[in-house]
Amino acid sequence: MYWTQRLRGAGTAVAAAALIGGVLAVPTAQAAGAVHGGQLTDLVNPFIGTENEGNTYPGAAVPFGMVQLSPDTGHNTGYDHAQNEIRGFSSVHISGVGCGLGGDLPTLPTTGDVTETDYAKYAAKFSHDTEKASPGYYKVGLDSGITAELTATKRTGVQRYTFPATDKANILLNAGQSLHKTVSTSVEVLDSRTIRTAITGSGFCQDTKPYTLYTVTHFDRPFTTSGTWKDGTVTQGSRKSTGTGGNGAWVRFDTSRDRTVEATTAISYVDATGAARNLRAEGGKSFDRVHRAAQSSWEDRLDDVQAQGGSDTQRRTFYSSLYRSFLAPNIGSDTDGRYTGWDQKIHRAKGFDYYQNWSLWDTYRTQTQLLSLLAPREERNMAISVLKIDEQSGWLPKWGYGTVETNIMTGDPVTPFLTNAYRQGLLKGYEEQAYRALKKNADGTPPADSPAVGREANVQYLKDGFAPYIKDRAHVKPGDSDFDHGASATLEYALSDAMLGQMAGDLGHTADAKRYADRAQSYRNIFDPSTGFFRARDENGNFTGPADPAQGEGFHEGTAWQYQWMVPQDLSGMVDLIGGKDAANKRLDSFFAYDQLLADPAKTATDVWVNGPYDYYNADKYNPQNEPDLIAPYTYLSTGQPWKTTDVVHAALTLFTDTPTGMTGNDDLGTMSAWNVLSSIGVFPVQPGTDTWGLSTPAFQRVDLKLDRRYYPHGGFTVKAPGASDTDRYIQSAAVDGTAHAKTYLTTDEIRSGRTLSFDVGAKPSDWGTDASAAPPAVR
């Protein structure tokens, strides 16, 4: 079915309360898709996360597609379900980002004379009652009487507009307005069916190096007249307009008899020739044919995970999260293999597909691992693409958009991203190249003429063993600064050092392995015994900022309470620092409000934990809406109380609902969605950058994973928890292929060699996984 949106945020609490009762309730053992005619795409609601700053979009895309054709309602990242005007249907959107990005070439159908050129003024009103969306498709009825439909291929967006009967049916192509800063634009009417644009823009949270997007739009029939505008002046018959913004073109059709107009927009980050070639390769098909192909591509993706049991709400949130996990990164090479590298030169991908858009600080914790499992071919190409960035620009990325570095976020997220690919066996033939790039990144800083900041505080970190927090330090380059968040940067550097040390040892670089393993212990250097928490230190080594660990000064988007668990490489060492397992468990129980959680999981999740997409500081509780403590619920696996991981995880799952407010904060290119998917399956990457998967009770009775035989010889892996329910949720024992499994984790090799992970569950916690030897081992 298509999703018709009538729901508002008021229903969220009710849905959450209903969900906790059905988190593990399994009325029947049917495949999820069977509920709605066997199509898993029917379970996906693209409107989830479009309200309350989830920052998702409801429009049309295919898995990892270059084009995301979607309506913009005025929100800084595109679509906000709380608004009722559409400025245009633009070609580029990035799911879940926190700052304005994309929104290029908003296109809107109108009737009558063209007088306004500001999309905020000519925006069309609409009702959510007329909206429908499903993977690869979007439809809305505008108050003007026009119906708009959208679908997509990898590199094209296809629009179908159904107008009233009129001789003034217009389509406005606004080259000069987007969701980010527009630097320069050009628009040209090539012939009676074709419009070409070049849009140069910059900015993501702040100014960045510009990039250029090229587009060509072809209509299925000739327009009767056309024109352009510049800075508010509309000129009929004009064929070209250039400027620093405020440019666009309009075309007109007579719909007195034939009321439908179809248009295909192809894009390229290379040049106009690339856009034209993408159009020739992927265009020329009817709207309905493209729609069917897009839906089929999504069905193929979703079909790789067959979940049995659970409530209807749970299945919808699960498959909607799985859908969002496949939206990015995005193909960056044209159909001829050409792409623009970070040296701003044109290259050609040979033997791989080039990808772009790297929200690494977010995705390295969840989405990267999910793609390694379910889309290893694409994840391999993504890792190779990141290596090409180093090869062509001289440095590895931190947060890359299109063809440029934005330097948003801090730490060293590229290291666990690439070491994960290595540990999952996805870098065959590239191991030493990857290691050299990572070693350069870990041991140095980018030169002044590089746009990258890398490990900005590395000089001090290597000298003193910590990244200093320097308040009000001027930023040398655009983007975030590690010096603004010295405490959390230290933890991120140390985590990355551990993962790189493991890779170095595997590759025979023994001295480097020891050096990085020693550096992985740097987290100890910011532990303040007087508070019992991590704390920022200044350039002179003095602890600085408020002693209250809930204040968050020196930590990026979190507090010392939330970052205290960010030592997945050595949890046993961190636990010793704070006084041992008993002390750690008391602190964890306080952090998760565990006693309240047992009494009312859903209420604790909504009323006690941190709630608010940008509510980062002044908190001593778990924040399920942001990245720093996504792994925190799994800390109990290392403190001898693994049953509490299940309790916390399943309480957090109630925050995912099938309404527009059903996201936990910004989705950040699938990060939060992937958390939901992995936690629901019961297999979670507890040590980012390695091949270690922590275990908890799955949210379904059975999940069958269809895996690529080139990486997983058995072609699949099944997780079973027969009899699981909201009361019988505690693991009594576990087995892999019938052999008892006492550990609270699996390795990728165990998944690769096994076929089935089975859990026996019951109503009370057991001693399964409580032995010290059962915990995920420290990374050495």
Side-chain angles (χ1 to χ4, degrees):
M1 70 179 181
Y2 296 127
W3 279 90
T4 302
Q5 274 309 303
R6 300 169 186 261
L7 296 172
R8 289 284 184 169
T12 303
V14 175
L19 181 58
I20 187 62
V23 160
L24 292 169
V26 194
T28 59
Q30 59 189 344
V35 177
H36 298 284
Q39 294 293 307
L40 293 173
T41 49
D42 291 345
L43 296 174
V44 175
N45 180 1
F47 290 99
I48 293 174
T50 58
E51 197 167 336
N52 195 28
E53 303 298 329
N55 296 346
T56 59
Y57 59 84
V62 297
F64 312 120
M66 185 184 291
V67 167
Q68 308 85 29
L69 186 58
S70 189
D72 294 324
T73 63
H75 188 269
N76 71 312
T77 62
Y79 183 92
D80 182 356
H81 189 268
Q83 302 188 36
N84 66 350
E85 288 187 341
I86 291 175
R87 295 180 173 186
F89 306 100
S90 58
S91 297
V92 178
H93 296 83
I94 306 298
S95 183
V97 293
C99 298
L101 198 59
D104 299 289
L105 195 64
T107 300
L108 190 72
T110 68
T111 58
D113 294 327
V114 177
T115 57
E116 291 289 354
T117 62
D118 182 345
Y119 64 6
K121 295 180 179 178
Y122 65 65
K125 289 187 179 297
F126 73 103
S127 167
H128 292 299
D129 290 344
T130 69
E131 281 189 299
K132 296 180 179 180
S134 63
Y137 178 78
Y138 173 86
K139 180 180 181 180
V140 65
L142 305 177
D143 286 3
S144 60
I146 302 168
T147 297
E149 297 173 272
L150 313 176
T151 190
T153 70
K154 277 188 179 181
R155 300 171 180 86
T156 75
V158 184
Q159 309 143 65
R160 179 162 66 189
Y161 300 123
T162 303
F163 290 90
T166 177
D167 61 355
K168 290 185 178 181
N170 313 308
I171 297 176
L172 281 57
L173 295 88
N174 194 332
Q177 292 182 291
S178 63
L179 299 173
H180 54 82
K181 179 180 178 181
T182 302
V183 176
S184 64
T185 61
S186 69
V187 59
E188 185 176 4
V189 181
L190 297 181
D191 56 43
S192 62
R193 292 187 181 212
T194 313
I195 307 291
R196 181 170 66 193
T197 75
I199 303 166
T200 300
S202 72
F204 173 49
C205 299
Q206 52 191 299
D207 281 347
T208 59
K209 190 173 182 178
Y211 69 93
T212 300
L213 179 72
Y214 302 88
T215 82
V216 57
T217 302
H218 187 75
F219 295 88
D220 67 339
R221 59 182 167 121
F223 30 85
T224 57
T225 188
S226 63
T228 67
W229 71 77
K230 180 177 181 178
D231 299 330
T233 301
V234 179
T235 307
Q236 184 170 341
S238 170
R239 301 183 65 86
K240 192 172 184 179
S241 177
T242 62
T244 57
N247 301 94
W250 57 275
V251 297
R252 177 167 292 166
F253 300 88
D254 187 337
T255 57
S256 300
R257 295 184 178 179
D258 184 355
R259 295 175 54 200
T260 301
V261 177
E262 294 187 9
T264 301
T265 298
I267 70 173
S268 169
Y269 288 85
V270 179
D271 53 25
T273 299
R277 288 175 178 170
N278 290 343
L279 181 66
R280 284 197 296 272
E282 298 184 11
K285 304 176 183 67
S286 70
F287 182 94
D288 289 333
R289 183 178 173 187
V290 174
H291 174 205
R292 287 193 297 270
Q295 184 183 37
S296 178
S297 70
W298 279 113
E299 193 67 31
D300 287 345
R301 284 288 174 189
L302 300 177
D303 188 61
D304 288 343
V305 183
Q306 289 283 342
Q308 296 182 10
S311 68
D312 286 352
T313 297
Q314 186 186 7
R315 287 190 293 271
R316 287 192 292 266
T317 59
F318 177 80
Y319 279 101
S320 296
S321 291
L322 186 61
Y323 159 77
R324 289 190 299 272
S325 298
F326 290 127
L327 288 172
N330 307 101
I331 194 76
S333 49
D334 291 337
T335 54
D336 60 6
R338 296 185 310 147
Y339 66 90
T340 297
W342 282 27
D343 56 0
Q344 305 309 307
K345 297 178 181 178
I346 298 173
H347 303 270
R348 190 179 299 272
K350 297 180 180 179
F352 74 102
D353 293 322
Y354 182 80
Y355 287 85
Q356 58 192 27
N357 300 333
W358 306 105
S359 183
L360 295 173
W361 186 82
D362 309 287
T363 59
Y364 89 78
R365 306 163 201 264
T366 58
Q367 194 244 12
T368 290
Q369 292 84 356
L370 182 63
L371 296 188
S372 296
L373 192 64
L374 298 179
R377 285 178 291 176
E378 289 83 356
E379 183 68 11
R380 171 177 166 84
N381 286 338
M382 292 167 188
I384 293 171
S385 300
V386 166
L387 294 180
K388 291 297 179 182
I389 291 174
D390 171 76
E391 184 180 308
Q392 292 154 10
S393 73
W395 215 262
L396 289 166
K398 180 167 281 190
W399 208 121
Y401 176 62
T403 64
V404 300
E405 174 65 84
T406 71
N407 291 320
I408 294 301
M409 307 315 295
T410 50
D412 178 18
V414 72
T415 294
F417 169 80
L418 282 174
T419 59
N420 171 75
Y422 166 73
R423 298 293 297 180
Q424 307 295 347
L426 305 181
L427 282 179
K428 299 294 186 184
Y430 289 87
E431 296 94 336
E432 287 295 340
Q433 180 181 349
Y435 179 72
R436 289 193 300 271
L438 288 169
K439 181 178 179 179
K440 176 178 62 177
N441 176 76
D443 291 346
T445 54
D449 60 353
S450 169
V453 296
R455 287 193 183 195
E456 187 182 16
N458 220 16
V459 172
Q460 295 87 341
Y461 174 79
L462 297 181
K463 174 177 174 289
D464 301 322
F466 62 89
Y469 165 53
I470 306 177
K471 193 171 183 177
D472 300 324
R473 181 180 183 273
H475 288 203
V476 177
K477 298 178 182 180
D480 289 313
S481 171
D482 289 348
F483 291 110
D484 289 343
H485 312 283
S488 56
T490 299
L491 296 174
E492 301 266 11
Y493 289 5
L495 182 157
S496 294
D497 282 338
M499 306 315 166
L500 184 55
Q502 188 179 61
M503 182 179 181
D506 286 350
L507 295 176
H509 303 290
T510 307
D512 284 351
K514 183 181 184 307
R515 184 162 56 90
Y516 292 130
D518 289 345
R519 276 168 39 179
Q521 295 294 305
S522 297
Y523 73 88
R524 296 173 180 271
N525 296 329
I526 61 166
F527 183 76
D528 183 355
S530 71
T531 65
F533 285 85
F534 296 125
R535 191 175 174 193
R537 299 178 71 168
D538 64 20
E539 290 177 281
N540 299 315
N542 300 313
F543 288 111
T544 184
D548 181 357
Q551 292 301 302
E553 190 166 0
F555 294 87
H556 203 172
E557 296 187 0
T559 68
W561 268 99
Q562 291 152 0
Y563 272 97
Q564 66 185 315
W565 318 113
M566 255 290 292
V567 193
Q569 74 273 20
D570 187 23
L571 277 176
S572 59
M574 185 276 293
V575 166
D576 287 344
L577 276 182
I578 61 176
K581 288 184 179 180
D582 288 344
N585 283 322
K586 287 179 182 178
R587 191 174 290 187
L588 283 164
D589 290 350
S590 173
F591 182 60
F592 292 114
Y594 185 73
D595 290 342
Q596 293 170 269
L597 182 152
L598 283 181
D600 194 333
K603 184 176 177 61
T604 301
T606 57
D607 295 356
V608 180
W609 292 349
V610 176
N611 279 282
Y614 306 113
D615 192 1
Y616 302 135
Y617 303 113
N618 301 311
D620 63 355
K621 291 295 182 284
Y622 174 48
N623 182 359
Q625 301 201 345
N626 204 34
E627 281 75 12
D629 50 358
L630 286 182
I631 311 171
Y634 295 89
T635 305
Y636 283 118
L637 301 183
S638 296
T639 62
Q641 297 184 337
W643 67 90
K644 291 183 178 179
T645 286
T646 291
D647 289 331
V648 174
V649 166
H650 286 284
L653 287 173
T654 67
L655 297 170
F656 292 85
T657 72
D658 57 358
T659 71
T661 58
M663 274 299 308
T664 57
N666 300 162
D667 197 30
D668 289 323
L669 282 76
T671 298
M672 297 300 184
S673 292
W675 188 94
N676 182 27
V677 171
L678 290 161
S679 293
S680 295
I681 293 172
V683 178
F684 189 87
V686 292
Q687 294 175 326
T690 74
D691 57 353
T692 305
W693 304 84
L695 305 180
S696 65
T697 306
F700 299 97
Q701 278 200 347
R702 175 174 176 147
V703 181
D704 293 292
L705 304 178
K706 192 184 302 180
L707 304 177
D708 191 324
R709 288 186 180 276
R710 283 177 289 187
Y711 299 94
Y712 299 90
H714 295 312
F717 191 76
T718 297
V719 180
K720 297 179 180 179
S725 69
D726 57 326
T727 55
D728 292 352
R729 65 176 180 266
Y730 297 111
I731 298 172
Q732 306 298 301
S733 64
V736 176
D737 293 342
T739 300
H741 186 84
K743 297 179 295 186
T744 60
Y745 67 96
L746 288 175
T747 65
T748 296
D749 282 345
E750 288 173 315
I751 294 175
R752 192 171 282 130
S753 62
R755 295 178 184 271
T756 303
L757 168 65
S758 300
F759 294 108
D760 288 329
V761 295
K764 295 182 179 180
S766 73
D767 62 359
W768 176 84
T770 58
D771 190 83
S773 64
V779 178
R780 301 298 189 201

